[in-house]
Amino acid sequence: MKDGLLIFSGNSNKKLALDICKYLKVKLANASVDKFADGEISVKINENVRGHDVFVIQSTCFPTNDNLMELLIMIDALRRSSAQRITAVLPYFGYARQDRKDQPRVPITAKLAANILTVAGADRILTIDLHAGQVQGFFDIPLDHLFAFTTFADYVKRLGIGKNVVVVSPDVGGIKTARSYAKKLRCHLAIVDKRRVNDKEAEVMHIMGDVKGKHALIIDDMVATAGSLVEAVEAIKKAGARDVYAAITHPVLCGPAIERLKKSKLKELIVTDTIQIPPEKKLGMIKVLSVAPLLGEAIKRIHIEESISVLFN
């Protein structure tokens, strides 16, 4: 590892940051992130960063506004401390769901978030499994978009369900990602045809593809309230599938998600540690895989100016 690499972390991903540092065999850099009495966020960088290549690890998950402001303030502090390059590492990029004007008088929040990260002083973005691929185009700075499918595929191969598995896309928009998984696992593909009732509810219509007698693996980028996921599981079981698994990168798990999962017929929910799951939300069916090696290798390659495209294979 070349000299000059520093890794900082906000409060949302401290454990993941430590795991990344362990992979890279470096120490987590020292910064104080606290709050003033009125709730404003206070940041102080406690070591020299002048001329260094700095990576700040922070998911903008719940509490989203606090974590986003922490990240922005840390970037600003590092920029004013003369860091040579600042890469914002967002394992989970929040505010990405509103990526277009699909209704009158609504914002494009993903573009706004991209703008403020750039204005704060980020020189580069590193993230995993964006909600929509076009969000990459909202940034006027380089963005490296990693995918968790290799992490998931390796685990699914160890489950012992062999060739009797079908990858299921939960909607038409996820076909491209699901196809990548199906190719990696050398199995068939199915699609859940659903119609959204509103922004919180979705009605599953039918399954396109053969799932009867097979183990089903639902693929998605995030699980929030788990409404769509549970509906999909129910529809897949009715279509004759055996066990149903879900490999979902970002475990947002808000609102009634945990209660819905408890009552569902889902065999296992496989997620990553892009978002830290609080103890009260940990269920026996949830398996957490670490993306520390993936992010650590990407950070190393960015730092030494090597290609990261090998990580997509």
Side-chain angles (χ1 to χ4, degrees):
M1 185 67 62
K2 287 168 59 178
D3 292 335
L5 171 66
L6 287 176
I7 296 178
F8 289 88
S9 174
N11 287 322
S12 73
N13 288 103
K14 192 72 74 176
K15 184 181 183 303
L16 177 58
L18 289 169
D19 289 341
I20 291 170
C21 288
K22 184 177 180 181
Y23 177 86
L24 294 171
K25 299 179 181 177
V26 299
K27 289 184 177 181
L28 186 65
N30 189 357
S32 301
V33 182
D34 209 338
K35 287 186 178 181
F36 293 109
D38 62 355
E40 290 183 2
I41 293 166
S42 166
V43 170
K44 186 177 188 301
I45 307 301
N46 295 323
E47 55 188 275
N48 178 30
V49 299
R50 185 179 296 273
H52 285 69
D53 190 11
V54 177
F55 293 79
V56 185
I57 300 167
Q58 177 85 324
S59 284
T60 49
C61 53
F62 179 84
T64 308
N65 297 334
D66 283 358
N67 287 331
L68 178 59
M69 282 305 300
E70 271 186 22
L71 177 59
L72 296 172
I73 295 170
M74 288 188 76
I75 291 171
D76 183 72
L78 291 163
R79 177 175 62 88
R80 295 177 188 277
S81 302
S82 301
Q84 184 181 56
R85 180 175 64 179
I86 303 167
T87 300
V89 182
L90 292 92
Y92 169 68
F93 178 45
Y95 280 121
R97 278 177 283 189
Q98 287 186 290
D99 55 15
R100 64 195 183 282
K101 282 198 68 174
D102 55 353
Q103 301 175 48
R105 298 175 296 281
V106 296
I108 304 180
T109 321
K111 174 59 177 171
L112 174 62
N115 286 346
I116 58 180
L117 282 165
T118 305
V119 170
D123 298 298
R124 191 178 199 98
I125 303 292
L126 176 62
T127 189
I128 299 178
D129 283 346
L130 286 167
H131 188 62
Q134 64 263 28
V135 173
Q136 297 174 73
F138 294 170
F139 287 88
D140 297 322
I141 55 177
L143 182 146
D144 293 302
H145 186 201
L146 302 178
F147 303 94
F149 72 83
T150 302
T151 304
F152 284 133
D154 290 342
Y155 177 77
V156 171
K157 287 177 181 177
R158 297 196 301 269
L159 281 176
I161 53 181
K163 295 182 180 179
N164 194 28
V165 60
V166 57
V167 169
V168 181
S169 172
D171 51 41
V172 175
I175 292 176
K176 186 175 180 181
T177 301
R179 188 182 291 121
S180 297
Y181 279 81
K183 183 179 179 181
K184 183 84 173 177
L185 295 170
R186 298 181 180 179
C187 65
H188 294 292
L189 176 67
I191 304 164
V192 177
D193 177 29
K194 69 181 182 183
R195 292 182 184 177
R196 185 161 289 281
V197 178
N198 53 47
D199 62 348
K200 295 180 181 178
E201 298 178 70
E203 179 184 355
V204 175
M205 304 301 289
H206 64 274
I207 309 297
M208 297 190 295
D210 182 21
V211 299
K212 189 173 182 179
K214 299 179 183 295
H215 297 288
L217 178 66
I218 301 172
I219 300 297
D220 211 347
D221 66 295
M222 63 183 288
V223 52
T225 61
S228 295
L229 175 61
V230 170
E231 290 282 352
V233 171
E234 187 68 27
I236 292 167
K237 290 291 286 185
K238 284 182 179 178
R242 294 173 65 183
D243 293 327
V244 182
Y245 301 80
I248 301 180
T249 308
H250 309 298
V252 178
L253 298 176
C254 57
I258 298 301
E259 289 305 314
R260 285 174 171 171
L261 288 171
K262 286 179 180 178
K263 297 174 183 177
S264 76
K265 297 177 181 177
L266 187 66
K267 175 78 172 181
E268 190 170 51
L269 174 60
I270 312 160
V271 299
T272 74
D273 55 354
T274 57
I275 297 174
Q276 187 170 333
I277 302 176
E280 65 272 14
K281 292 185 178 181
K282 289 183 179 177
L283 300 177
M285 69 162 61
I286 299 178
K287 171 67 176 180
V288 182
L289 306 179
S290 180
V291 291
L294 177 64
L295 284 171
E297 187 63 26
I299 288 171
K300 181 180 78 173
R301 288 175 173 273
I302 291 169
H303 177 61
I304 62 178
E305 306 295 348
E306 285 189 357
S307 172
I308 67 168
S309 60
V310 67
L311 302 178
F312 303 150
N313 298 325

